Amino acid sequence: MLTIGKLGRASGVKVPTIRYYEQIGLLPAADRSAGNQRLYTRATQERLAFIRHARDLGFPLEAIRDLLGLSDRPEQSCAEVDAIARTQLLAVEGRITRLLALKTELERMVDHCAGGTIAECRVIEVLGNHAHCSADHGRDLLTVSE
Amino acid sequence: MLTIGKLGRASGVKVPTIRYYEQIGLLPAADRSAGNQRLYTRATQERLAFIRHARDLGFPLEAIRDLLGLSDRPEQSCAEVDAIARTQLLAVEGRITRLLALKTELERMVDHCAGGTIAECRVIEVLGNHAHCSADHGRDLLTVSE
DNA sequence: GCTAATGTCTCTAGCAACTATAGGTTCAAG
DNA sequence: CTTGAACCTATAGTTGCTAGAGACATTAGC
């Protein structure tokens, strides 16, 4: 049985985050020692590794909750799992597309800055004037979970 | 003088967001009508357009606060402005790099899913086993502001 | 001039996904 | 047996908004 600190080091997840996952029900309530400290099994360590890897891949916690639920029913069809992964792939592709447009515009801004005074600064000018901007970067760039 | 709703429509920023910007000091406290409603000038409209464009480009509000402060001192050197824009460019490039790695891994996962049962599902398997994962997508993907 | 609809006001709480802090308890090493 | 690290709970803070309640202001039509 591992204490929470060891589990955290083993899995690369911070201790408060593990407690948070328990609180929101992503991890089952841990067994406790005589002194009320959490004790974890290998099974929980694997579950946490799964969560961490999925988070690294950008899956939102709700999607991970679904995936964990599905992985507990191994004889069902994996269509739902596939759909969640494809949704995440689409989200990632969308973010890449928009970020590439931002990169282009930022590069234009930075490249045109001659290093003079702020009055002549292209960066400020471009930011102040939407007409200079060709790309139509969608609003939702800022709201998509990551 | 524009009311807040008209300003919002003109600038593409939602009304509560405008009030929020005032609350955190990004916009100056607006003049008020006899009935206590906010009234805006063209100058504020331009300032808001600047903020919106910078947000579209992914600048965090703190960076925008700095940029606005700098743009009020036009005879200074634009080195700081340049630095903020370059920082943002680097952040965007970093996010693109990591997202491309994620995309590769997600595509591998999805492509290998044969559509059978969950027990044989590659998606679940890959997520559960970090050893399958080649890319070292940094943790901070999830914490960087966007 | 009156009424109804829309717009605006303040204030509070909520979202994701944690992170940080305070103040206390337990455990392992020396 | 004491010290110090690790643990506990509970609450509040982070970023950038968004949503709701309940009250006041403005405007359009009649």
Side-chain angles (χ1 to χ4, degrees):
Chain A
M1 299 291 254
L2 303 163
T3 57
I4 198 169
K6 272 161 199 153
L7 177 66
R9 254 162 282 136
S11 62
V13 178
K14 287 179 190 151
V15 167
T17 305
I18 297 171
R19 286 196 279 248
Y20 169 72
Y21 286 163
E22 178 181 314
Q23 190 192 308
I24 64 170
L26 262 195
L27 290 177
D31 293 336
R32 299 300 181 112
S33 72
N36 197 36
Q37 301 195 348
R38 288 173 181 83
L39 293 175
Y40 293 97
T41 60
R42 289 286 145 189
T44 307
Q45 189 180 336
E46 272 164 38
R47 194 176 176 94
L48 186 55
F50 183 101
I51 295 169
R52 200 224 141 151
H53 198 186
R55 286 297 295 131
D56 284 349
L57 287 168
F59 287 88
L61 289 181
E62 274 318 297
I64 296 173
R65 199 189 291 276
D66 292 345
L67 287 170
L68 283 167
L70 290 165
S71 76
D72 289 340
R73 298 198 279 303
E75 65 299 327
Q76 260 192 278
S77 149
C78 87
E80 272 188 76
V81 171
D82 197 45
I84 293 171
R86 278 178 201 281
T87 299
Q88 178 58 17
L89 178 55
L90 280 177
V92 167
E93 283 171 344
R95 262 174 276 159
I96 289 170
T97 302
R98 276 180 260 115
L99 284 170
L100 285 173
L102 301 195
K103 184 184 168 216
T104 303
E105 200 175 354
L106 285 166
E107 275 169 345
R108 268 217 318 274
M109 275 177 30
V110 166
D111 288 351
H112 283 88
C113 177
T117 67
I118 285 172
E120 342 169 291
C121 183
R122 288 281 299 176
V123 172
I124 293 289
E125 189 193 327
V126 170
L127 286 175
N129 191 342
H130 230 295
H132 286 299
C133 164
S134 51
D136 175 33
H137 19 259
R139 278 264 81 185
D140 54 335
L141 174 66
L142 306 166
T143 61
V144 165
S145 83
E146 190 171 4
Chain B
M1 298 290 255
L2 305 162
T3 57
I4 197 168
K6 274 163 198 152
L7 178 66
R9 255 163 280 133
S11 62
V13 178
K14 287 180 190 149
V15 166
T17 304
I18 297 171
R19 287 197 278 249
Y20 168 72
Y21 286 163
E22 177 181 314
Q23 189 193 307
I24 64 169
L26 263 195
L27 290 177
D31 293 337
R32 299 299 181 113
S33 73
N36 196 37
Q37 301 196 347
R38 290 174 180 81
L39 295 175
Y40 293 97
T41 61
R42 289 286 145 192
T44 307
Q45 190 181 334
E46 275 165 36
R47 195 178 175 92
L48 187 56
F50 183 102
I51 294 169
R52 200 225 140 150
H53 198 185
R55 285 297 296 132
D56 283 349
L57 287 168
F59 287 89
L61 289 181
E62 275 317 298
I64 296 172
R65 197 189 292 278
D66 293 344
L67 288 170
L68 284 167
L70 290 165
S71 75
D72 289 340
R73 299 198 278 304
E75 64 299 329
Q76 260 192 277
S77 148
C78 87
E80 272 187 76
V81 171
D82 198 46
I84 293 171
R86 279 178 200 281
T87 298
Q88 179 58 17
L89 178 56
L90 280 177
V92 168
E93 283 171 345
R95 264 174 276 158
I96 289 170
T97 303
R98 274 179 261 115
L99 283 170
L100 285 172
L102 301 195
K103 182 182 171 221
T104 302
E105 199 174 353
L106 285 166
E107 275 169 344
R108 267 219 316 275
M109 272 175 32
V110 166
D111 287 352
H112 284 89
C113 178
T117 68
I118 285 172
E120 343 169 291
C121 181
R122 289 282 298 177
V123 172
I124 292 288
E125 187 192 331
V126 170
L127 286 175
N129 191 344
H130 230 295
H132 285 300
C133 163
S134 51
D136 175 32
H137 20 259
R139 281 264 79 189
D140 55 334
L141 174 66
L142 306 165
T143 61
V144 166
S145 82
E146 189 172 8

